[in-house]
Amino acid sequence: MLYKQLYKNPNASIAERVDDLLSRMTVPEKLAQLGAQWLILDENGNHHDRDLEMASDEAKKPISERFQNGIGQITRPLGTHSVSPEKGVKALNALQDYLVNQTRLGIPALSHEECLVGLMAKDATLYPSSLNYGHTWNPELIEEMASDIGRQVRAVGAHQGLAPVLDVSRDVRWGRTEETLGEDPYHVGLLATAYVKGLQGEKRDVYATLKHYVGHSFSEGARNHAPVHIGFKELNDTFLLPFEMAVKLGNAGSVMPAYHDIDGEPCHSSEYLLTEVLRHRWGFDGLLVATMVASIYCILIMGLQRIQQVQLRYLLMPVSISNCLMMRALLNWRLHGER
């Protein structure tokens, strides 16, 4: 079979296909791949928006107009509303068919779902809370469970699971304590690594997402999204350790930065955390994905009101602002070369 475009040829090397695709992409198309859409999908292609008070003007445009340059990710196609797996997959396929056949480059979207205690979708298996995982003291059992979750994630066409949570419990007033694996950093790292291995499998065809990077559970007053005040030694020995274990030992495919700032620097735009530590020191080669609505907090709380309009013109959702901040850190890494 002859392929007019090299990037569509499955027999070519990945590097060749990527280089060819990037050479064809316009700036708007590249920016579109940094964004995500959180929609209610329809098997007949009549997709519509969720009712989001904080949606941007771009997000209020007709869906066909927003998708003309493609889209990077689709948020929780089966977990957004109560829909049978069969209808949910048909709806996701309808969207993928549009992206592949109706956009210029034909790039399908990545689909991600929540899966901390099982795939968060109708009729999926529900497992106990993460705190219960921690109480098993059994990495082999956690890996077996995560493998079953990964099987269900694959079955609905998802490419990424938004789990596990590696936040080390420090203050039980924090409202997300039940999502943690406990209060011992090594124990958290050991079980999280087992979860990553189980979910991703040998082929690594579903990405586990390590969250929330980093120190999210040690916020001021135990308030979600509040600033974190911490010294480097405690940050490194307690909160970074589980992430380092899951990256190096589990080959985790994705990392999600946290909502908060550390010493006034948002985690989403920290060159030190995202580039120096994560990529240079640990050798992470995967996907950085913005925490949902973190960009809005960056704007309203961190004071990032002056992002240039030219950057926003092509962005499809507010979350893409955080992706731009991550892209800045990534570009610093790429432009300045390996260190």
Side-chain angles (χ1 to χ4, degrees):
M1 182 176 180
L2 296 177
Y3 296 90
K4 293 182 179 180
Q5 297 89 14
L6 178 61
Y7 75 91
K8 291 185 177 182
N9 185 353
N11 299 316
S13 70
I14 293 176
E16 289 175 327
R17 296 174 71 184
V18 169
D19 288 342
D20 180 64
L21 177 58
L22 287 174
S23 70
R24 298 172 184 271
M25 296 178 76
T26 65
V27 171
E29 287 168 337
K30 290 177 180 178
L31 288 173
Q33 290 301 315
L34 298 179
Q37 288 282 331
W38 197 345
L39 305 171
I40 297 177
L41 302 184
D42 177 75
E43 58 186 302
N44 296 314
N46 300 316
H47 315 303
H48 60 280
D49 288 293
R50 298 167 65 243
D51 184 17
L52 292 175
E53 294 181 0
M54 296 185 289
S56 67
D57 290 338
E58 284 288 334
K60 295 175 183 177
K61 290 182 177 180
I63 291 175
S64 59
E65 184 178 344
R66 278 180 268 160
F67 282 171
Q68 64 182 340
N69 291 312
I71 187 66
Q73 290 215 10
I74 294 297
T75 298
R76 301 182 60 197
L78 276 81
T80 295
H81 62 127
S82 182
V83 60
S84 70
E86 182 181 7
K87 289 187 176 181
V89 170
K90 286 182 178 179
L92 176 58
N93 285 344
L95 176 66
Q96 298 285 34
D97 180 75
Y98 173 86
L99 292 171
V100 170
N101 295 304
Q102 301 298 322
T103 61
R104 188 179 76 89
L105 295 172
I107 305 174
L110 293 174
S111 166
H112 65 253
E113 297 282 358
E114 294 282 3
C115 65
L116 179 61
V117 294
L119 174 64
M120 191 178 290
K122 187 176 181 181
D123 298 331
T125 304
L126 179 65
Y127 289 97
S129 74
S130 290
L131 279 177
N132 292 104
Y133 298 171
H135 290 155
T136 67
W137 298 85
N138 191 333
E140 292 77 16
L141 180 62
I142 301 305
E143 183 173 347
E144 181 181 354
M145 176 204 68
S147 178
D148 181 62
I149 295 174
R151 176 183 61 81
Q152 296 180 50
V153 169
R154 291 175 181 85
V156 298
H159 309 89
Q160 181 177 4
L162 303 184
V165 170
L166 286 78
D167 300 315
V168 179
S169 178
R170 276 296 177 267
D171 189 335
V172 295
R173 296 177 301 167
W174 188 59
R176 304 185 69 169
T177 298
E178 67 180 36
E179 297 180 48
T180 72
L181 290 161
E183 59 186 6
D184 181 89
Y186 179 75
H187 185 56
V188 170
L190 197 65
L191 295 184
T193 299
Y195 185 103
V196 168
K197 289 180 177 179
L199 186 75
Q200 295 189 157
E202 294 182 1
K203 294 182 179 179
R204 204 192 187 197
D205 53 354
V206 167
Y207 275 3
T209 306
L210 311 182
K211 60 185 192 181
H212 305 85
Y213 184 71
V214 59
H216 192 39
S217 56
F218 200 54
S219 57
E220 183 180 90
R223 292 175 295 137
N224 208 28
H225 311 152
V228 170
H229 309 291
I230 191 171
F232 173 78
K233 188 177 187 302
E234 187 173 11
L235 177 68
N236 186 70
D237 293 353
T238 299
F239 297 100
L240 283 172
L241 176 64
F243 288 90
E244 182 177 7
M245 292 173 67
V247 168
K248 290 183 175 180
L249 303 179
N251 196 23
S254 181
V255 171
M256 179 185 291
Y259 291 96
H260 62 265
D261 68 281
I262 299 177
D263 195 24
E265 181 180 54
C267 292
H268 273 75
S269 59
S270 173
E271 182 183 359
Y272 173 73
L273 291 175
L274 302 182
T275 303
E276 176 61 31
V277 173
L278 189 58
R279 296 198 183 275
H280 289 163
R281 298 184 185 180
W282 298 350
F284 176 70
D285 65 352
L287 175 69
L288 281 168
V289 57
T291 306
M292 295 176 184
V293 306
S295 56
I296 298 173
Y297 291 103
C298 283
I299 294 171
L300 298 181
I301 299 175
M302 310 302 181
L304 301 178
Q305 297 97 337
R306 296 186 178 180
I307 298 178
Q308 296 179 2
Q309 186 64 33
V310 67
Q311 291 178 309
L312 298 178
R313 189 184 314 160
Y314 305 110
L315 298 181
L316 302 181
M317 280 193 71
V319 74
S320 296
I321 301 172
S322 286
N323 280 340
C324 278
L325 294 174
M326 288 194 291
M327 179 56 68
R328 183 181 69 182
L330 176 61
L331 287 175
N332 286 337
W333 168 57
R334 297 293 295 178
L335 293 176
H336 294 296
E338 300 286 352
R339 286 184 287 173

